[in-house]
Amino acid sequence: MSDTTADFIIIGGGIAGASVAYELSAKGKVVLLEMESAPGYHSTGRSAAVMSENYGPALWSRLVTASRGFYEQPPEGFTDVSLVTPRGALFLAKHDEVEALFNQAVELSSRGANIEIVSAEDALNFCPVVRSSEFAKALYEPDCKDIDTNALMAGYLKALRIRGGVLKVGAKVERISRTDGVWTVSTRAGEFTAPIVVNAAGGWVQEISDLAGLPYRNVVPFRRTAVVFDPPAGSDVTTWPMTFDVAETFYFKPEAGRIMVSPVDMALSEPCDAQADELEVAIAVDRIERFTTMSVQSIKHKWGGLRTFAPDHEPVIGPDPEEPSFIWLAGQGGNGVMGGGAAARLAAAFAAMEAIPQDIAALGITAENVSPGRACVVDASGAKPVVGDIEQFA
Ligand SMILES: Cc1cc2nc3c(=O)[nH]c(=O)nc-3n(C[C@H](O)[C@H](O)[C@H](O)COP(=O)(O)OP(=O)(O)OC[C@H]3O[C@@H](n4cnc5c(N)ncnc54)[C@H](O)[C@@H]3O)c2cc1C
């Protein structure tokens, strides 16, 4: 097979595309197409890079559970460094959120996750800057890990190369057509053909589906802002956990000796090179100063990134209802790195027309509950959400 003919064409060189390319390269010839000059430039390179089984909606958090084994013990030769390192996560609940915290604890324990419920005062043992008077209880998840996203991407792409797969950068997909059971994908770097296409284009998945002539689906990007500042002088932040509030108004974590904070904004966006929003930067600073004892002297760094959702925030993985040879791997929201390993195995099973991997099925993931054909994604009205109207995604 030449480098322009493949069994599987994957569109999008973020974590979704790289991971499914890795999985499918064990089953056939793969071409991975990325429009930028390097993979991982968009959402994948802008995440907080943590893995928590208590983060995100139900099905995504189960995919995190199913990804953990790969990240903790990758196959021989995949990488020379640890893909994950201990971080810990602390979820802070106010008095009226304690019941929700206990429900999370029960659900997490049922999946075998280690957790501890502590008083707000005792939460200071994990993170000494929490303003404990603002909270009643906290859930501590010791097994939350930092993910080395660069090493993970490098591992996937190295294995892809070794297995004969091809990564084409600068290959913006501009036209897609299908004749006699074969897709032709035209890019700025040439034309590629394959019987199966995987749509892993992150915030651009709808544009790719439009190019393929398929109906509108409700999988759209939202911007999130992140800010980095210096911690109080003399503090050793290395062991601080990723700290969230249960109401989801902020999170912060150590980042190379500094503190990264997000006001967890969610603003509907066009697919684009996302930037930090100035109002959200100010909100991030305000939340840090209200809910912790830290003050922000100056912003060292800030950025924006896209998180792409279906209205129910759950994965959109599987064949398009109109065209079974067009496989979606989308709607990663805030779980795309941490749940990416299992999501890729699931998408690869659909692309290769195999059964759902047993460990994933055992967690209650079915073809139906992640299908691009489920009601909220198909959106029978065909109406596109307008910028500023996020109610149906709330
Ligand atoms: C601030 C922030 C914090 C986050 N924190 C976490 C976290 O702690 N843990 C976690 O798991 N997730 C986190 N996320 C979410 C995570 O980053 C995403 O879920 C994940 O990166 C999505 O990966 P992706 O491959 O789908 O998208 P992307 O990385 O955006 O990849 C899509 C790729 O498709 C390419 N593409 C688009 N159109 C075309 C075209 N026409 N032709 C060719 N290529 C095309 C793009 O260039 C892009 O490289 C966070 C996100 C943000 C913004």
Side-chain angles (χ1 to χ4, degrees):
M1 247 181 212
S2 76
D3 278 357
T4 55
T5 310
D7 297 306
F8 306 99
I9 291 175
I10 294 154
I11 302 173
I15 193 72
S19 55
V20 74
Y22 165 80
E23 294 294 340
L24 285 172
S25 62
K27 303 176 193 288
K29 168 94 183 193
V30 170
V31 171
L32 171 60
L33 302 173
E34 167 53 46
M35 68 177 171
E36 303 293 353
S37 57
Y41 174 77
H42 288 286
S43 303
T44 298
R46 306 172 190 213
S47 97
V50 295
M51 171 176 72
S52 160
E53 287 175 68
N54 191 33
Y55 186 76
L59 301 181
W60 267 116
S61 59
R62 290 179 213 173
L63 289 175
V64 177
T65 298
S67 300
R68 177 180 281 281
F70 185 94
Y71 295 162
E72 289 181 340
Q73 284 188 307
E76 190 69 31
F78 185 86
T79 177
D80 297 332
V81 298
S82 290
L83 294 177
V84 287
T85 44
R87 168 59 51 213
L90 193 62
F91 297 85
L92 301 165
K94 297 188 166 149
H95 285 282
D96 58 349
E97 293 159 353
V98 169
E99 196 183 331
L101 193 77
F102 282 136
N103 291 340
Q104 283 175 9
V106 169
E107 214 276 319
L108 272 169
S109 301
S110 74
R111 274 186 276 138
N114 274 329
I115 49 144
E116 199 180 325
I117 298 276
V118 296
S119 68
E121 278 300 314
D122 286 344
L124 297 179
N125 295 328
F126 300 111
C127 186
V129 291
V130 167
R131 203 179 285 283
S132 56
S133 55
E134 292 283 338
F135 301 99
K137 294 263 180 220
L139 183 157
Y140 182 63
E141 183 195 1
D143 295 332
C144 170
K145 304 263 169 93
D146 277 344
I147 304 174
D148 185 336
T149 312
N150 288 339
L152 183 59
M153 286 290 286
Y156 282 137
L157 296 174
K158 183 180 82 177
L160 172 68
R161 217 169 37 244
I162 291 169
R163 293 170 177 176
V166 176
L167 163 67
K168 286 274 174 196
V169 294
K172 180 170 199 278
V173 173
E174 293 179 323
R175 283 189 313 281
I176 305 177
S177 61
R178 186 170 166 84
T179 317
D180 298 333
V182 176
W183 291 103
T184 300
V185 178
S186 307
T187 79
R188 292 192 182 162
E191 216 168 74
F192 302 87
T193 56
I196 306 280
V197 162
V198 179
N199 182 9
W204 289 260
V205 280
Q206 186 56 52
E207 284 192 6
I208 297 301
S209 152
D210 288 348
L211 290 177
L214 295 168
Y216 181 76
R217 309 283 180 226
N218 255 346
V219 191
V220 290
F222 292 78
R223 186 215 59 232
R224 175 154 285 182
T225 301
V227 174
V228 170
F229 64 96
D230 277 334
S235 43
D236 176 8
V237 302
T238 46
T239 59
W240 292 5
M242 175 100 169
T243 300
F244 304 81
D245 66 335
V246 167
E248 293 196 58
T249 66
F250 69 91
Y251 65 67
F252 65 91
K253 67 168 289 203
E255 173 109 344
R258 293 185 157 149
I259 301 293
M260 170 210 171
V261 54
S262 174
V264 298
D265 47 326
M266 181 156 165
L268 195 56
S269 169
E270 293 297 318
C272 63
D273 191 351
Q275 304 297 316
D277 180 86
E278 285 310 320
L279 177 61
E280 296 298 340
V281 171
I283 292 172
V285 171
D286 177 63
R287 298 218 168 121
I288 279 292
E289 297 188 342
R290 242 170 77 205
F291 295 115
T292 79
T293 53
M294 294 186 284
S295 64
V296 180
Q297 302 302 327
S298 68
I299 306 284
K300 297 298 174 189
H301 183 40
K302 59 189 172 189
W303 69 91
L306 298 178
R307 305 179 327 135
T308 299
F309 290 95
D312 62 3
H313 292 211
E314 292 291 12
V316 179
I317 303 178
D320 189 275
E322 296 282 319
E323 177 47 68
S325 63
F326 185 91
I327 310 295
W328 289 75
L329 174 50
Q332 283 85 351
N335 293 82
V337 182
M338 61 180 110
R345 287 194 287 127
L346 186 57
F350 288 122
M353 285 186 271
E354 293 169 357
I356 293 180
Q358 258 182 1
D359 64 315
I360 297 178
L363 290 166
I365 308 278
T366 64
E368 290 70 35
N369 61 20
V370 296
S371 170
R374 67 185 187 268
C376 71
V377 180
V378 166
D379 186 18
S381 74
K384 300 185 184 190
V386 283
V387 172
D389 168 19
I390 62 164
E391 268 171 35
Q392 60 177 323
F393 290 81

